[in-house]
Amino acid sequence: MLTLTPGATTLAQLENLWREGVPARLDPAARAGVDAAAAAVKRAANGNEAVYGVNTGFGKLASVKIAPGDTATLQRNLILSHCCGVGEPLEPATTRLMMALKLLSLGRGASGVRWEVIALIEAMLERGVIPVVPVQGSVGASGDLAPLAHMTAAMIGAGEAFYQGQRMSGAAALAAAGLAPVVLGPKEGLGLINGTQFSTALALVGLFEGWRNLLNALVTSCMSTDAIMGSTAPLEGEIHALRGHRGQIEVAQAMRDLMAGSVIRESHRDDDARVQDPYCIRCQPQVAGAAMDLLRFAATTLEVEANAVTDNPLVVAAGIISGGNFHAEPVAFAADIIALALAETGAIAQRRVALMVDPTLSHDLPPFLTPDPGLNSGYMIAEVTTAALMSENKHLANPCSTDSTPTSANQEDHVSMAAHAARRLGRMNANLSVILGVEALCAAQGIDFRAPLETSPRLQAAMASLRAKAPGLESDRYLAPEIEAASALIRDGSLLRAAALELAL
């Protein structure tokens, strides 16, 4: 059981929850603040003063006063009317992360929901009741309204949920898990659907997968360097210290360590007619290091957002105040930054693949890395696949945060587009894992051609994990399954574990 501390939960804890599926609950110390805010909302609901979302309509209908006896109906209607999401369901692991983020937000004691609501989310996480949440429908302002409404619908016994791998009605899923639906009190529906938890969960997943891809790129780039018998002189620490960027310094150090002991490298230190390698080899620390710095910058923003209160109105010392914390601009910016890092990591990796299959640049490797070129095409079209995915990622990396469109009768006249800014990161990371998988295949093939010279012990271990899935290419064969297997080694971290590479986000 993972205990979440509102305001102080770390990215490492959230990644563990997402990857491992561990149940989560709020620190019980949060209850006093939650109860106090709920009491404040209850008093407002019974009072005569109009308080947005407590005893009024929503959005453009905020001027419509609701009678105290209708507040429960108001909240239920809010949820049902906002269940307008479309598209495929969000992956259950990401939905669980979204639910945990909602716990963190509610646990700050400013939303005014009862502890009963929090307890139901905790129980759903523990017992595996995962709401069906369509991935399209949020513009990332006034909260991720439609996605979070679908989450909440399952909590009130409407909508749909997954339970033990089966998709069923929300009511049936709760009953099968021994849980009862909650009847929403004043402001509770609004507190559940206002917020950035959908966008933030997707951005966090993009960050976690992106960091793993970036570290894999360090391994594959080192393999490629040995495959073309490239120089490690550009990795010298003093060069990078003179520039001073943290990521660049760490990447150069990691690459030096990965290549330590390479016989291939030692074989051409002297009498090599080449003066400089192409940029895709020589400038790897500069590019990967810059991407690393961007991911860390985004991580800082997303860790803050994961612990933030982002619904509306909020219960604060001055009363119940309407504000704009639901606007997901920080998440949109973070997602756009992650997208840039992913696109550039794939772009330079693709150039390394192109380098290895080109006999004019690969330092005596055979064309397309096949022993019998002409009769065989080798990795010719695998390189084309990487070019296609690289180009697709470049298009996907165009910013989403610069877009906006007014909604809700111009009440919500500037929006962040954070939801699809974050959602496209999944597609980009999938593309990048394939590019890196193909690079690993090509680099291993190139290293094999350098026999009896050997690469470093750590890169040999990485090659062994790859060769268990894809043997050396002696003649043409059906390659699609091997490309998928290689990209799976990238995605699940197997190549990193074999190379013993760890760098903290």
Side-chain angles (χ1 to χ4, degrees), residues 350 353-354 357 368 379-391 435 438:
Q350 199 284 327
V353 175
V357 300
F368 305 108
Y379 287 105
M380 177 189 294
I381 304 305
E383 186 265 330
V384 174
T385 296
T386 66
L389 298 182
M390 173 192 68
S391 183
I435 295 171
V438 171

Side-chain angles (χ1 to χ4, degrees), residues 23 36 93 188 206 263 276 280 346 469:
E188 289 180 340
V263 178
Q276 294 178 326
C280 67
K469 303 291 185 180

Side-chain angles (χ1 to χ4, degrees), residues 79-91:
I79 300 309
L80 298 178
S81 68
H82 282 55
C83 285
C84 296
V86 297
E88 63 190 18
L90 187 62
E91 292 180 354

Side-chain angles (χ1 to χ4, degrees), residues 208-431:
F208 299 150
E209 291 185 323
W211 185 258
R212 177 171 283 184
N213 271 330
L214 179 61
L215 296 189
N216 273 292
L218 304 189
V219 177
T220 58
S221 66
C222 287
M223 293 170 63
S224 297
T225 299
D226 255 1
I228 64 108
M229 301 186 83
S231 174
T232 56
L235 302 179
E236 287 297 323
E238 189 174 357
I239 294 174
H240 307 286
L242 284 168
R243 197 172 197 184
H245 292 298
R246 177 188 172 189
Q248 180 177 329
I249 291 168
E250 289 189 13
V251 166
Q253 178 67 63
M255 292 181 68
R256 291 197 301 273
D257 293 343
L258 284 166
M259 298 189 71
S262 169
V263 178
I264 294 175
R265 173 62 188 115
E266 296 306 318
S267 72
H268 63 95
R269 280 193 183 274
D270 301 320
D271 301 322
D272 191 328
R274 297 170 297 172
V275 177
Q276 294 178 326
D277 293 315
Y279 286 3
C280 67
I281 298 294
R282 189 174 7 137
C283 300
Q284 291 169 94
Q286 288 78 7
V287 175
M292 181 174 285
D293 289 339
L294 283 186
L295 292 182
R296 283 179 170 147
F297 181 84
T300 299
T301 296
L302 293 177
E303 187 167 60
V304 171
E305 190 73 7
N307 285 281
V309 183
T310 55
D311 65 291
N312 179 65
L314 297 177
V315 183
V316 295
I320 301 176
I321 307 295
S322 287
N325 277 5
F326 48 70
H327 199 295
E329 195 81 337
V331 182
F333 283 154
D336 280 349
I337 288 170
I338 294 169
L340 292 175
L342 299 181
E344 283 299 274
T345 300
I348 194 169
Q350 199 284 327
R351 296 317 305 155
R352 294 191 296 265
V353 175
L355 182 70
M356 287 185 283
V357 300
D358 185 346
T360 63
L361 298 172
S362 64
H363 196 55
D364 301 326
L365 292 176
F368 305 108
L369 299 167
T370 176
D372 190 6
L375 179 63
N376 294 284
S377 296
Y379 287 105
M380 177 189 294
I381 304 305
E383 186 265 330
V384 174
T385 296
T386 66
L389 298 182
M390 173 192 68
S391 183
E392 184 175 304
N393 273 4
K394 287 179 179 179
H395 288 284
L396 289 170
N398 282 300
C400 298
S401 57
T402 54
D403 188 20
S404 180
T405 187
T407 61
S408 193
N410 275 301
Q411 178 75 6
E412 298 153 10
D413 59 349
H414 181 275
V415 298
S416 72
M417 299 301 180
H420 60 268
R423 185 164 59 89
R424 67 46 151 106
L425 299 178
R427 183 173 163 191
M428 293 185 71
N429 271 308
N431 289 344

